[in-house]
Amino acid sequence: MTKRGLILDGGTGRELERIGAPFRQPEWSALALMEAPEFVRKVHDNYIEAGTDVITTNSYAVVPFHIGDERFEADGAMLAARAGRIAREAADASTDRKILVAGSLPPVFGSYQPDLFDPKRAGHYLDTLVGGMTPYVDLWLAETQSSLAEARAAREATLSTGKPLWVSFTLRDDLAPSDMPEPLLRSNETVKAAAELVASFGGEAMLFNCSMPEVMEAAIEAARATFAALGADIQVGVYANAFPSQQDDEEANATLTEIRNDLDPDSYGQWAGRWAASGASIIGGCCGIGVDHIHALSGRYRCV
């Protein structure tokens, strides 16, 4: 028997820029949410048309890191609710299949920065996002988690909602998998430890994102082996970066990082086939590129 895989949407920021939405630093994808939300709806519609099964709320940049403390305190809950509502409306407009809405919970102190994580402040930021989006989402997607502490905070913030939690970790990709004894998060904690954590709090899925395609297979295998040993039925997924290795001394989205020339939709589809063969059942588009990758995935990746 085959089991149908799920296709997660791709990156939002550059897709907004591509279709002409307001787009600048430091607000990144939050600028369109604030000034021209019709473009956010258009991105969701484009991904659904391309074949995605799960769309992600445009809330990744709704944090002080991008919009500033003052604006977050004044408008954070409203913007989170707007992001959730736009995604919900787009999903509900689909007439040919059910579309799930994932509430994006970002690393609230910036991507790739595990050393900056402050659990005391993180709770307030995450509670604001969760409170705004809860009426609209089907599940939570804690994205680009660099450490176990970040994942724990996401779990604590979402527990009372009763909605499933997917946790997506970002991996060290500055070394080839053959040069690491086992796959590591950017905090240098192991994927095995991350999988044990996700299993301990009943996560529905564990994914890997914001890392180069080359490091994903080893992480999938480590996660699946851990879940098998624990007897845990937890899905594994991947959505990779289209960028060169991003290091922890770089601020994600601080500049427009150059896209790798070798990750066109066809080559990304080939990577997706390898991940599916390794046991991934959720595969998303490449961070940094967008809808073209979903077209490629929907043509290739339907059953695993």
Side-chain angles (χ1 to χ4, degrees), residues 17-53:
E17 184 188 35
R18 186 186 70 80
I19 66 174
F23 190 79
R24 65 167 184 252
Q25 299 295 3
E27 293 92 344
W28 200 255
S29 57
L31 188 63
L33 189 65
M34 292 186 285
E35 296 185 355
E38 67 275 12
F39 283 98
V40 178
R41 171 62 188 269
K42 178 63 175 174
V43 168
H44 290 319
D45 289 342
N46 288 348
Y47 275 125
I48 292 170
E49 182 180 0
T52 192
D53 302 300

Side-chain angles (χ1 to χ4, degrees), residues 52-209:
T52 192
D53 302 300
V54 185
I55 57 173
T56 310
T57 60
N58 181 30
S59 48
Y60 193 97
V62 182
V63 289
F65 180 83
H66 284 288
I67 67 174
D69 286 292
E70 184 175 345
R71 182 177 287 170
F72 181 83
E73 294 303 324
D75 298 331
M78 178 272 291
L79 291 170
R82 179 180 293 174
R85 183 173 61 253
I86 293 170
R88 181 80 268 156
E89 290 171 351
D92 289 349
S94 174
T95 58
D96 64 335
R97 66 192 191 283
K98 179 176 177 59
I99 304 297
L100 298 175
V101 175
S104 172
L105 299 176
V108 292
F109 302 105
S111 303
Y112 319 140
Q113 305 285 338
D115 292 343
L116 299 183
F117 183 73
D118 180 349
K120 293 181 180 178
R121 290 191 294 149
H124 168 62
Y125 298 153
L126 290 168
D127 287 347
T128 299
L129 296 176
V130 168
M133 289 190 286
T134 293
Y136 308 104
V137 305
D138 298 299
L139 60 99
W140 300 107
L141 176 57
E143 301 191 82
T144 323
Q145 305 291 282
S146 292
S147 69
L148 303 188
E150 289 184 353
R152 290 189 190 100
R155 173 57 173 168
E156 184 174 344
T158 59
L159 183 59
S160 65
T161 70
K163 297 177 185 288
L165 175 63
W166 295 5
V167 184
S168 190
F169 293 96
T170 179
L171 303 166
R172 282 193 63 179
D173 56 7
D174 55 321
L175 296 173
S178 59
D179 294 329
M180 288 187 284
E182 59 182 311
L184 300 173
L185 310 186
R186 294 186 186 269
S187 60
N188 285 319
E189 296 163 303
T190 65
V191 166
K192 179 178 184 292
E196 290 170 344
L197 176 67
V198 172
S200 74
F201 57 52
E204 183 176 271
M206 177 175 174
L207 299 88
F208 304 102
N209 77 300

